[in-house]
Amino acid sequence: AMGALVTAASWRSRPVKTFNMIATLHYLTLISVVSFALVDPASSASVTPGLHVSGGLINGGNTCYLNAQLECAYHIPRVRGMVVSPPSVTKNTAASSPALASLGYVFAAMQKAADSGLDGGYAPSTPTTVLSRTLGIPVWEQQDSQEFWKLLLPEFKLPQLVDLYQGSYEGYIAAIDGSGRERKREEQFLDLSLDVSGGSVSAALEDMFCKPELLSEKEGNGWRPEKDADKVDALKGSLLKANGLPPILQLHLLRFQYDWQTDTMSKINTRFRFPKVLDLSNICSGLEKDEEARVVYDLQSVVVHVGAYGSGHYYAYVRPDARKNTWYRFDDDKVTEVAYRDVAADCYGDQSSRIAAQEAKEGFFAKLFRGSGGKYGWGGRTSSAYVLQYVRRESIPMLYDEV
């Protein structure tokens, strides 16, 4: 599923095709029957009863970016339930959101396929053709996985679903002359974009929310508090608070950079570590004792990009139950159970400093006979995490306990 990576282009700018939903349902039924008949059981995963573990999604051309994000969303029962059976949705609301209706059909088909693989069987893979056709997505153009999901969420026209992902932080500018002059503004987000140069999630979040920028009047970039007022030195930054954190936290890793001198884009594949348990108590401002439980998150899934800018492939690692340590790799219609150490090895990017130092000490023959095995994760030297999805531990009962 290799293809040109299109980050600037967005399918949202294309006209959304409103299909007759009855005809769409018949089409999905037909293509699902064909798919179930053609899927090779060896390429699907054995599922555990009650988890509804997906049997994978069929790549419709270059739709791996779409498949990876859908696997992450589908395996959170609350999200899956809202999509399949939207709360308080009238006929008029459903008709106004073809995106929600078509994804609901896909998720329902995925769950039906998962249930058919119980008792040690194999879950068939599911097509996403209806979703692609309904949204007018050009299936042979690979798009940016993070941008796709960020643009798709509002198209559902379902505030209850968006609220699971949407958080906020406070942007501020404050004069440091003792006058108390400041300006604050609430900024909403569906994900947080992190600079990977710091080497870890904790370092990137600390830079974003704990290290304000100095606006210096002497250097010509001071802050003007009021119209016609003199510029003053000020601090510009952002504050993350516990009450602004969403139940599902997506972290977008800025792996692609633009070089102004060469006018080219390239991929940053430097090593970037992320924790299995993300504790934001040192990042959140004004944290009260009774809020401490609200800032602890568990890693639920990772969207991986392998390849260079301009070409590549997406797949995902997902933990279907955030309370357990069972992980699966969803590479389109190929599903494999893996250990968490395999997730980390494949997603951190580049080579660990420990392995690099060990190789530097090895002699010629040691390197010759060792080969390249073990240097990198499953995706090879160009694989690295692109989106990290965490679930708030306090919200796990709400997100995972199906009613």
Side-chain angles (χ1 to χ4, degrees), residues 346-392:
D346 198 21
C347 297
Y348 283 172
D350 205 3
Q351 224 178 327
S352 72
S353 56
R354 178 184 60 80
I355 295 177
Q358 179 181 332
E359 290 184 359
K361 296 178 181 179
E362 291 178 345
F364 172 77
F365 288 104
K367 293 180 181 179
L368 179 65
F369 288 107
R370 173 178 44 77
S372 59
K375 285 186 178 182
Y376 304 95
W378 182 81
R381 66 174 60 242
T382 62
S383 67
S384 53
Y386 187 52
V387 178
L388 306 174
Q389 183 159 284
Y390 287 88
V391 292
R392 186 165 55 201

Side-chain angles (χ1 to χ4, degrees), residues 122-172:
Y122 290 90
S125 304
T126 303
T128 59
T129 313
V130 167
L131 179 64
S132 299
R133 292 199 173 194
T134 301
L135 295 175
I137 294 175
V139 297
W140 292 106
E141 291 181 16
Q142 188 180 111
Q143 313 256 1
D144 186 284
S145 187
Q146 174 265 347
E147 184 185 37
F148 161 75
W149 185 247
K150 193 173 182 177
L151 293 177
L152 182 61
L153 270 174
E155 295 294 329
F156 294 143
K157 297 180 172 60
L158 192 61
Q160 300 98 316
L161 180 57
V162 175
D163 286 345
L164 293 179
Y165 292 86
Q166 186 168 269
S168 64
Y169 59 85
E170 182 183 278
Y172 69 89

Side-chain angles (χ1 to χ4, degrees), residues 255 269-274 299 302 304-306 315 317 327 329 338-355 373-385:
R255 289 287 184 184
N269 208 52
T270 54
R271 199 161 181 82
F272 187 82
R273 300 177 65 87
F274 51 86
L299 185 65
V302 184
V304 181
H305 179 268
V306 59
Y315 52 94
Y317 288 99
W327 288 83
R329 180 174 58 244
V338 297
Y340 180 71
R341 64 177 178 273
D342 298 319
V343 178
D346 198 21
C347 297
Y348 283 172
D350 205 3
Q351 224 178 327
S352 72
S353 56
R354 178 184 60 80
I355 295 177
K375 285 186 178 182
Y376 304 95
W378 182 81
R381 66 174 60 242
T382 62
S383 67
S384 53

